[in-house]
Structure formats: C-alpha cells, structure tokens
Amino acid sequence: MRRTVFVLGVLGALVTGGFLAARGMFRWAVGHPGTATLVTVLVLPFVLALVVVAVRGMPRLRELRRAARVGKAEAEAEVAKAVAAEEAAPAVVDEPEPTVVMWSVEDFLAMDAYAFEQAIARLCERDGCRDVQVVGGAGDLGADVLAITSDGRRIIVQCKRYCATNKVGSQDMQRFGGTCYTVHEADVAAVVTTSAFTEPATEYADTCGIRCFDGDRLVAWSNGTGPTPWG
C-alpha cells in the first residue's frame, strides 16, 4: 500500500512538473519565435533518438526482469530442495568405539581352577586351535587342555593357577614331563601359570622341551601382545 501511494505521488509530481514546464516553454516560444525554432531543430533529433532507444529497450528490460524473476525462483527452489533433503536424511549417530578389555594376572587369580582351565582353552580357540578339550581333574595325568594347533600339532597344556609366592617347582614339572609325551603323545607341551617357575623347574623344562608360560607371558598372550605357548 505504501509503495503504491509513493508511486502515484511520483507520477503526479512528474505530470504536474511536465505540464508546468511545457506551459513555460510554450510562453517562451511565443515570445521568442526565432530562437524557439532554432532550439527545436537542434534538440528535437536528440529527443527523438532517446525516445527510440527507450522504446526499443523496453522489451529487453522486460526480458531481463523476467530472467531475474526466473533465476530467483530457481534459486529458491534449489534452496528448498536442499533443505528438504537435509531434513529427510537420517541423522548420523556416532557409535562409541568398542571397549578393549585388557587382562591382568589378578583377573585369572579371581577364577577358580576349573574356570582358569576354561579360560586357557578359550584362548587356544581364539588363536586358531581346533578340537579343544578341557580334561583337567582327577586322573588327568598332567593334561588340563588338549588341542590341535592350526598347523596340525597336538598341544598339551597344564594349568597352574598359583599365587605369586607359590612358584611352579621341579616336582610339578617332572610329573608333567613324565606323561605329556609318552601318555598324551604331545607335539608341544606347555605349562601355563599365573605365578612363576623355580630355577630347577626351568632347567628341567629346557631339558625336556617343555614350554614355560609365567604370569607375564600369560597376560601378554591373552592381550594379543605376546606369542602363544605353541608359537
């Protein structure tokens, strides 16, 4: 409404001003006919040229305005399309990274003897062994876990869940050494403990080819940072 009133006011002022100017020029021309004729001859061609240019330029101006309106409409449509696509897109939810559980000697000590044997069996399965069996108990003749490694070797594991002050001694090692190869026909024999080994036990194991896995090596194996007992 304000814009319409403003345009009408401007047009009225232009019409009034044009009328007053034309009347003044007419009176001047009547009083100075010779000069008026000369001015008319000189100015009229320029006026006509301006009128022609204005008339010819009107269609081009309308085309430019129409193109501007079309471009604006297309731009608004693209913006609306982009907003709609963004709203329709599923929200991306950052999934938390899985928590890595790191084993410690205390974790194994918290288990009972049977659970410890089961944990060793699961580690063997995790690292590629097949036909894994837990056979520990009365009459096991030193074998707690039996398995076949990925390269086809038969491994016999004796599990010793001892506290830090109770080391695996030579007698433990000798009892295992007397059955692991002759009775259980092991290709690989290993003793895995949460504790450590006495020096005589280590010497006997070296003589018989038994692999000794103390608490530190057990933790490294379980966390994937160390070798397997058959590696």
Side-chain angles (χ1 to χ4, degrees):
M1 185 65 183
R2 293 181 179 177
R3 183 177 179 180
T4 302
V5 173
F6 174 77
V7 171
L8 292 176
V10 171
L11 291 176
L14 290 176
V15 171
T16 303
F19 174 76
L20 294 176
R23 188 176 65 178
M25 292 180 62
F26 177 76
R27 290 178 178 177
W28 176 81
V30 171
H32 307 79
T35 305
T37 302
L38 179 62
V39 170
T40 301
V41 172
L42 294 176
V43 175
L44 184 60
F46 292 100
V47 174
L48 293 176
L50 291 175
V51 171
V52 171
V53 171
V55 171
R56 290 183 178 180
M58 289 300 294
R60 179 58 179 169
L61 180 60
R62 285 194 295 270
E63 291 179 1
L64 291 176
R65 290 178 178 176
R66 187 180 302 109
R69 288 194 296 271
V70 172
K72 181 180 180 182
E74 291 178 352
E76 291 177 348
E78 290 294 331
V79 172
K81 183 178 179 181
V83 172
E86 183 177 355
E87 292 177 351
V92 178
V93 179
D94 294 332
E95 296 183 358
E97 296 182 359
T99 302
V100 178
V101 178
M102 302 299 290
W103 288 85
S104 67
V105 172
E106 287 72 21
D107 294 327
F108 293 106
L109 287 173
M111 305 174 183
D112 59 25
Y114 179 72
F116 180 55
E117 294 169 359
Q118 290 287 337
I120 298 303
R122 299 292 80 77
L123 289 174
C124 292
E125 288 181 339
R126 183 198 70 181
D127 292 338
C129 290
R130 64 180 188 276
D131 300 331
V132 180
Q133 303 176 53
V134 178
V135 296
D140 60 15
L141 298 177
D144 294 320
V145 177
L146 309 178
I148 304 299
T149 64
S150 58
D151 57 3
R153 291 177 294 164
R154 180 177 175 84
I155 180 172
I156 309 299
V157 181
Q158 186 176 72
C159 304
K160 294 295 185 183
R161 189 186 63 85
Y162 287 172
C163 63
T165 58
N166 185 16
K167 296 182 178 180
V168 178
S170 60
Q171 291 185 353
D172 294 322
M173 195 66 71
Q174 289 171 21
R175 283 192 293 269
F176 180 60
T179 60
C180 61
Y181 295 114
T182 58
V183 176
H184 300 294
E185 299 179 344
D187 295 314
V188 180
V191 177
V192 178
T193 181
T194 52
S195 179
F197 298 87
T198 64
E199 186 175 346
T202 302
E203 292 175 354
Y204 178 84
D206 290 341
T207 301
C208 298
I210 298 173
R211 305 189 182 192
C212 298
F213 256 55
D214 59 13
D216 292 337
R217 299 186 72 185
L218 169 60
V219 169
W221 173 31
S222 61
N223 290 327
T225 59
T228 63
W230 60 90

